[in-house]
Amino acid sequence: MTDNTVEKQPLTLLGLGAMGTALARAWLAAGHPLTVWNRSPERARPLAAEGASVAGTVAEAVAASRLTVICLLDDASVDEALTGADLTGKDLVDLTTSTPDRARALAVRADGRGARFMDGGIMAVPPMIGAPGSGAHVFYSGSRALFDTHRDTLAVPAATSYVGEDAGFAALHDVALLSAMDGMFAGISHAFALIRKEDIDPVAFAPLLADWLVAMTPSVHTVAAQLADGDYTREVVSSLAMQVAGNATLLRTAEEQGVSAELLTPYMALMERLLADGRGDESTTGVVDLLAR
Ligand code: NDP
């Protein structure tokens, strides 16, 4: 429910794509005076009807508020949009998905133009924005003072998670989680490929797969604890030697089912390198070090 008794901070939003529009609606619904700008002006019209002020240029939009949130397609569109705007004394938050180095470079440039800067990584899809309990959250990093100033406003569309003064850390956390998700999707694809041509209902199989993935996720904490103390034999319940032996069964099954093992083999190759190093009694945590070298 919107609390109308507290004055809501005004802000500006650049970008009204799928994500930008969801963000805009969340701030408008919470009663924040909102100025919007979008390259194609027609996308701003429905929001104007919902109470947003529409700026004709980025310069005008940025001038309208102390805080400007950017949610554009990519780095190039952000650079193009910010050219020519006066950023002196402004607070900039870039939610456009990017890399850590890019976020750090933008922080330096914002500082040179007199602005405080934070980068953000959105861990949500548009329908989760402004929906309490959806699990949506945004990683923020960069100016702690900026975060403290605008914490309540930033918390309107999604929960906030401040991860450090290093402007690159939000993108790093974002991409680390997305990369893990890719690995999970790869595994899901392989699992469905294995049953694809059989008389097995994928809809009946799905909850079995989902429950198994959930049951395995606590291993994240074991990996973290092992990395923290450097003992990769700690709390090992499935040794590397056992898992490498099991890989042969996974590969043979893929062959029997006529399924390509191309998603599995790169990970298995790393496990075999560890085994060849005589680390069979460890967990698979050593893969982290092989990758990070
Ligand atoms: P959309 O493709 O829906 O919208 C892209 C936006 O960028 C539009 O406002 C578009 O303007 C604008 N734009 C593109 N090129 C330029 C340019 N050269 N100059 C100015 N504006 C430009 O993308 P989303 O809204 O979905 O995504 C926006 C950001 O949010 C991305 O970085 C994305 O990675 C991130 N994000 C998106 C998620 C999602 O599920 N959608 C999830 C998490 C993060 P125009 O209307 O004129 O084309």
Side-chain angles (χ1 to χ4, degrees):
M1 196 205 287
T2 303
D3 177 1
N4 291 319
T5 60
V6 181
E7 197 181 320
K8 300 297 171 72
Q9 291 303 309
L11 75 152
T12 287
L13 175 65
L14 307 181
L16 297 174
M19 185 54 83
T21 298
L23 294 168
R25 292 218 155 97
W27 276 308
L28 287 171
H32 285 264
L34 181 70
T35 301
V36 295
W37 171 86
N38 195 61
R39 178 181 62 176
S40 314
E42 62 273 11
R43 276 181 136 157
R45 263 179 227 126
L47 292 162
E50 293 168 38
S53 304
V54 180
T57 64
V58 172
E60 194 184 317
V62 170
S65 321
R66 167 93 183 263
L67 172 65
T68 290
V69 176
I70 307 165
C71 190
L72 295 172
L73 185 64
D74 54 16
D75 299 340
S77 44
V78 175
D79 288 344
E80 197 179 320
L82 290 180
T83 305
D86 181 3
L87 305 182
T88 313
K90 299 298 182 183
D91 288 339
L92 283 190
V93 176
D94 186 15
L95 299 183
T96 307
T97 303
S98 194
T99 69
D101 278 359
R102 153 71 188 187
R104 291 173 184 129
L106 197 51
V108 171
R109 277 162 44 201
D111 185 57
R113 291 170 68 178
R116 297 192 295 189
F117 178 83
M118 257 196 340
D119 191 59
I122 305 172
M123 305 312 300
V125 292
M128 293 164 74
I129 297 297
S134 70
H137 71 105
V138 179
F139 288 120
Y140 290 102
S141 67
S143 168
R144 174 86 216 191
L146 189 165
F147 181 72
D148 288 342
T149 306
H150 300 293
R151 178 196 290 263
D152 293 345
T153 303
L154 294 172
V156 167
T160 60
S161 179
Y162 180 81
V163 289
E165 292 268 359
D166 184 328
F169 276 12
L172 188 54
H173 281 69
D174 181 358
V175 171
L177 267 56
L178 293 177
S179 300
M181 180 186 75
D182 264 7
M184 184 184 75
F185 285 163
I188 290 169
S189 300
H190 186 84
F192 276 111
L194 286 175
I195 65 154
R196 186 76 177 129
K197 292 178 197 147
E198 305 291 350
D199 185 19
I200 297 175
D201 178 1
V203 176
F205 178 72
L208 306 177
L209 177 55
D211 287 353
W212 176 245
L213 292 174
V214 169
M216 289 299 102
T217 50
S219 66
V220 167
H221 303 292
T222 310
V223 173
Q226 291 181 343
L227 289 172
D229 73 8
D231 178 4
Y232 298 175
T233 60
R234 190 164 104 116
E235 293 175 43
V236 173
V237 288
S238 306
S239 73
L240 180 75
M242 181 282 284
Q243 292 196 61
V244 170
N247 284 345
T249 306
L250 268 56
L251 292 174
R252 262 205 334 273
T253 303
E255 200 177 335
E256 288 172 11
Q257 295 301 112
V259 169
S260 165
E262 64 197 300
L263 289 174
L264 297 183
T265 46
Y267 183 56
M268 291 177 173
L270 289 162
M271 291 162 77
E272 279 161 20
R273 272 169 64 190
L274 289 177
L275 187 65
D277 261 2
R279 300 170 66 174
D281 60 341
E282 296 184 2
S283 68
T284 54
T285 299
V287 170
V288 176
D289 297 324
L290 287 183
L291 291 174
R293 270 178 200 142

